[in-house]
Amino acid sequence: MYESLIRRISASTLAALDSYGFSGDPSLLSSFTDPTRALLSGGKRVRGVLSISGAMCATGSAPSDDAVEVAAAIELFQGAALVHDDIMDDSPTRRGLPAVHVQFSAEFESSDLAGDSQLFGRDAGICSGDFLLALASSHMAAHAPTAANRRFQAMCAEVAFGQFLDIRAENIDLLALLNSSDPSAALLAARDNAFTVLRHKSAHYSVRDPLLIGAEAAGADEELLDILTRIGSPLGEAFQLRDDALGVAGDPSTTGKPTGGDLREGKRTVLILTALARLAGTDRAHWIAESLGRDLDESDVRDITDAIVESGAWEEHEALITEREDEARAAWDELPAGPGRDALGELMERLTGRTH
């Protein structure tokens, strides 16, 4: 079932991209949408499948065409978020391909246009992300009732705020915390802040909100929405915590991004802050703090990863993930038997056991 849902969501997502009408030179439109099409042609469609699983839990039957279109709107929004995120993080790749803004820069260099290709790529990427966000909103409005559409708009706003919190957190002065009177306490407080960022930027929109939007669009009652919330909230946190681990030590052949990407980007994730709190007062803590955000080579990444593991932070991080996965499974047990419960159970197994 999972693979067939991915095919249906993918077809609807690309069709929504093609639905935009332009009366001028078609080559201008294709030059704008081709990098986005490459991005939208890949991916695991996790959020879309979650949305359809929520709808199936509500109806007890196979997904309707509208349920698939709601999932496509969520995937369009995910595309917008990825385009903007890669620009802010200066990430060169996404899903094993050049990031959208990098593709725009490359196209500029091979064109007859004059100017700064990097600046063009960034600006065109911002326009591309905005374009996908507008398409997502109009597509959701066309296929979801008012309540589900309001939840979708709230999700979009929360992700924007969460992204701001993430940008702000990246500028926390770790060396100042390490040199404070109680560095462990200061770093643990920063870790609490990282959990806030995690929830608002990623965890809610990665799992909980797609589940609830799909279910609400399909007519779910409050009892079902409560169960799905108790599944989606901890599962979303576990999903993002796993993503943070992969951002340090993920395999590029499966993640589509370089190993140690979060270290080079200077991310203040729960994992990094847990390690620094455990290593507070040591030279290793200062070394890690000074290394974050730099152009690290593979040896540097391995050394930092080893320090994280040896500090006990990796094991603690895995325990946080397991705790949330167990909480989500306990709530899943409350779902009534049916295709929605089965589909969500299969997806939960994929999410909790993922390596990319």
Side-chain angles (χ1 to χ4, degrees):
M1 176 183 289
Y2 187 84
E3 299 302 327
S4 65
L5 288 179
I6 287 178
R7 287 193 293 271
R8 291 182 67 183
I9 296 168
S10 296
S12 293
T13 303
L14 293 174
L17 178 66
D18 292 336
S19 68
Y20 179 73
F22 177 63
S23 58
D25 182 352
S27 67
L28 289 175
L29 181 59
S30 63
S31 70
F32 179 54
T33 58
D34 282 353
T36 307
R37 174 177 293 279
L39 172 71
L40 294 178
S41 296
K44 299 180 287 296
R45 310 296 187 204
V46 168
R47 292 159 187 82
V49 177
L50 279 163
S51 174
I52 287 179
S53 297
M56 292 170 67
C57 286
T59 64
S61 60
S64 65
D65 290 341
D66 273 340
V68 175
E69 297 304 334
V70 166
I74 291 173
E75 288 297 325
L76 287 168
F77 172 74
Q78 165 69 353
L82 294 179
V83 172
H84 285 161
D85 199 47
D86 286 342
I87 292 170
M88 285 183 278
D89 291 342
D90 197 24
S91 295
T93 60
R94 173 65 68 175
R95 294 175 174 172
L97 298 171
V100 166
H101 67 284
V102 175
Q103 293 186 54
F104 278 124
S105 294
E107 288 299 320
F108 182 91
E109 290 174 355
S110 63
S111 72
D112 57 2
L113 298 172
D116 187 324
S117 63
Q118 300 299 311
L119 185 60
F120 177 86
R122 184 202 67 183
D123 292 349
I126 292 171
C127 294
S128 178
D130 290 347
F131 177 73
L132 286 176
L133 178 58
L135 282 183
S137 295
S138 62
H139 204 69
M140 182 65 72
H143 295 282
T146 302
N149 192 50
R150 279 201 300 263
R151 194 182 293 274
F152 173 76
Q153 299 301 335
M155 177 187 75
C156 296
E158 182 179 30
V159 171
F161 175 56
Q163 186 68 65
F164 163 75
L165 293 178
D166 190 37
I167 294 169
R168 188 176 184 277
E170 286 178 18
N171 289 282
I172 292 173
D173 189 340
L174 294 177
L175 290 175
L177 298 183
L178 285 168
N179 292 325
S180 65
S181 59
D182 190 347
S184 293
L187 287 159
L188 289 175
R191 189 181 80 158
D192 290 341
N193 181 64
F195 267 114
T196 300
V197 174
L198 176 148
R199 293 184 183 104
H200 288 283
K201 181 192 173 186
S202 303
H204 289 169
Y205 107 92
S206 291
V207 178
R208 186 199 69 182
D209 290 344
L211 261 180
L212 294 177
I213 291 167
E216 197 156 31
D221 59 24
E222 290 301 320
E223 181 180 0
L224 177 58
L225 292 175
D226 174 68
I227 296 173
L228 293 178
T229 298
R230 288 187 285 111
I231 294 171
S233 292
L235 188 61
E237 291 186 20
F239 180 88
Q240 187 55 44
L241 289 169
R242 174 62 63 207
D243 203 57
D244 290 347
L246 294 172
V248 171
D251 182 348
S253 66
T254 55
T255 64
K257 300 186 74 174
T259 300
D262 282 2
L263 302 177
R264 295 186 182 91
E265 292 166 18
K267 296 289 187 181
R268 272 63 166 161
T269 64
V270 171
L271 176 60
I272 295 296
L273 291 166
T274 300
L276 289 175
R278 283 174 166 266
L279 293 168
T282 69
D283 291 341
R284 264 185 156 184
H286 284 78
W287 166 64
I288 292 174
E290 291 170 349
S291 298
L292 293 176
R294 296 187 176 181
D295 186 18
L296 306 173
D297 59 28
E298 291 184 8
S299 176
D300 294 326
V301 171
R302 283 196 302 271
D303 288 344
I304 294 174
T305 303
D306 288 344
I308 292 172
V309 172
E310 290 166 12
S311 74
W314 195 278
E315 183 178 359
E316 181 177 345
H317 196 76
E318 288 295 317
L320 292 172
I321 294 172
T322 300
E323 177 185 347
R324 284 155 176 78
E325 290 174 349
D326 290 346
E327 185 180 344
R329 288 192 185 96
W332 177 83
D333 286 338
E334 299 178 31
L335 287 173
R341 184 179 189 271
D342 294 341
L344 182 53
E346 179 182 350
L347 186 53
M348 287 174 67
E349 289 299 319
R350 290 173 178 266
L351 290 175
T352 56
R354 72 192 183 107
T355 57
H356 58 285

